Amino acid sequence: MRRRSRSSKRGGTCAEVPPLRACRGACPCLGLAWRAQRCARRGAASFGGHVETTKRLVCLANSRKHHGRCVAGIDMASNTWVRPISDRTGHEVAEHERRYGNGAEPRVLDVIEMRLVERRRSGFQRENWLMDPTVRWRRTGRASWDDLRRLEQPAEPLWINSGDDTYKGVNDRVSVAQAAGLTDSLRLIRVDSVTITVEQAYDPSRGLEVRAGFRHSECAYILRVTDCVYEERFKGRGVGSYRIGESFLTVSLGEEWSGYYYKMVAAIIERREVRSGGG
């Protein structure tokens, strides 16, 4: 297959984030942003009549979705969100599709190189890209807290806050009618603290539910947690309320269900667990 000299780096109308600057110290991948740009220029390959592209993402979510995962991150070359999806109805990424060559599961803050086939925008979920399931993902580095500070998005309300909440949530959903003008579905925000609440679900057969309460841009939120690591960690502590300190949160606006789009905390990244300079 012939490789073209360059591939598109435009992020469309996805939420823009500040460009990565050169990072000194122990962050070999993010510290050299030009490497990501060179990677994005390495050409495109043909796949079933489509034009593939290689992207290098800072992984900012590997969360529960249907029978698989929802993985998302920020493309280092274009500084836009990318959500790799499968061709299945629910778009979830299966275990065999996301694991590295050594069998390891991708972790939040990994820098991942992957092949993508084409854009698959769906309404306001404009970050979606169909992935190439025949090519293994490759881990090329780790991001740091300093890198997250450079990727942090402006402090503004999380889409629409209408007061039309669920019984246990606060500002946790957007009606289909209200969502008509939305153009993105992923945000990376920084909060001073998070209150994790573990409660029994209405349906006892569903076990425990985990929610995250926080303030952002002068608004209060209580959202369901789909971060697999934190969900299992706090379920293990049992019913109760737990406080964690300064954190980055990846917040996702999910697919429609019963007339609403629900906001979810797809990743929690505590400052105390992340090194400042190296991942």
Side-chain angles (χ1 to χ4, degrees):
M1 292 185 295
R2 295 184 59 188
R3 293 184 180 272
R4 296 174 61 185
S5 60
R6 55 193 306 159
S7 60
S8 173
K9 299 192 297 177
R10 294 188 180 275
T13 56
C14 300
E16 295 287 342
V17 295
L20 289 170
R21 297 178 297 178
C23 169
R24 305 183 187 279
C27 185
C29 188
L30 283 176
L32 297 174
W34 61 269
R35 286 186 181 177
Q37 295 168 355
R38 183 175 64 180
C39 173
R41 297 190 187 106
R42 284 191 306 197
S46 175
F47 179 90
H50 301 289
V51 177
E52 281 195 311
T53 184
T54 297
K55 290 186 179 292
R56 188 173 294 181
L57 311 181
V58 180
C59 180
L60 296 171
N62 184 359
S63 60
R64 172 176 50 80
K65 182 178 183 180
H66 305 311
H67 298 292
R69 296 288 179 88
C70 176
V71 179
I74 291 177
D75 173 26
M76 294 174 58
S78 64
N79 293 325
T80 54
W81 280 98
V82 171
R83 180 191 287 112
I85 63 172
S86 71
D87 215 11
R88 287 179 289 277
T89 303
H91 306 309
E92 69 275 11
V93 180
E95 181 177 343
H96 70 275
E97 294 170 329
R98 66 180 183 266
R99 287 192 179 272
Y100 301 136
N102 63 1
E105 178 78 28
R107 296 184 298 154
V108 171
L109 296 186
D110 279 358
V111 179
I112 307 173
E113 185 176 279
M114 63 180 66
R115 289 293 272 183
L116 302 170
V117 178
E118 63 174 356
R119 284 188 179 276
R120 283 287 180 91
R121 295 178 178 178
S122 177
F124 56 78
Q125 289 195 346
R126 302 187 180 187
E127 308 91 343
N128 294 357
W129 280 76
L130 178 65
M131 65 181 188
D132 181 347
T134 69
V135 179
R136 287 279 192 180
W137 294 1
R138 189 168 69 91
R139 179 183 181 273
T140 63
R142 288 281 291 171
S144 69
W145 187 264
D146 294 339
D147 298 318
L148 291 175
R149 290 296 302 268
R150 287 189 284 272
L151 294 171
E152 180 181 356
Q153 294 176 260
E156 58 186 26
L158 298 174
W159 301 286
I160 297 169
N161 299 327
S162 65
D164 185 8
D165 312 328
T166 63
Y167 180 69
K168 293 186 178 182
V170 174
N171 288 321
D172 62 341
R173 64 182 182 179
V174 178
S175 71
V176 170
Q178 293 172 322
L182 299 182
T183 59
D184 70 303
S185 65
L186 290 162
R187 302 280 178 87
L188 178 68
I189 65 171
R190 182 167 52 92
V191 296
D192 293 332
S193 64
V194 182
T195 299
I196 302 293
T197 303
V198 182
E199 298 177 295
Q200 181 67 50
Y202 288 121
D203 180 355
S205 67
R206 298 180 61 182
L208 299 177
E209 294 179 336
V210 181
R211 288 178 172 80
F214 57 92
R215 292 194 63 84
H216 174 68
S217 189
E218 301 182 355
C219 297
Y221 296 90
I222 299 178
L223 312 180
R224 281 289 300 272
V225 173
T226 57
D227 179 321
C228 299
V229 173
Y230 274 78
E231 189 177 37
E232 291 307 311
R233 179 183 300 178
F234 283 94
K235 280 183 178 180
R237 297 186 184 184
V239 172
S241 182
Y242 310 91
R243 185 184 182 279
I244 60 178
E246 183 182 6
S247 302
F248 272 95
L249 305 177
T250 297
V251 183
S252 173
L253 190 60
E255 297 167 343
E256 186 270 335
W257 186 73
S258 296
Y260 289 92
Y261 300 102
Y262 288 83
K263 305 172 190 178
M264 299 164 284
V265 176
I268 299 174
I269 309 169
E270 291 184 71
R271 181 171 189 173
R272 68 182 182 86
E273 295 192 359
V274 182
R275 293 172 55 191
S276 294

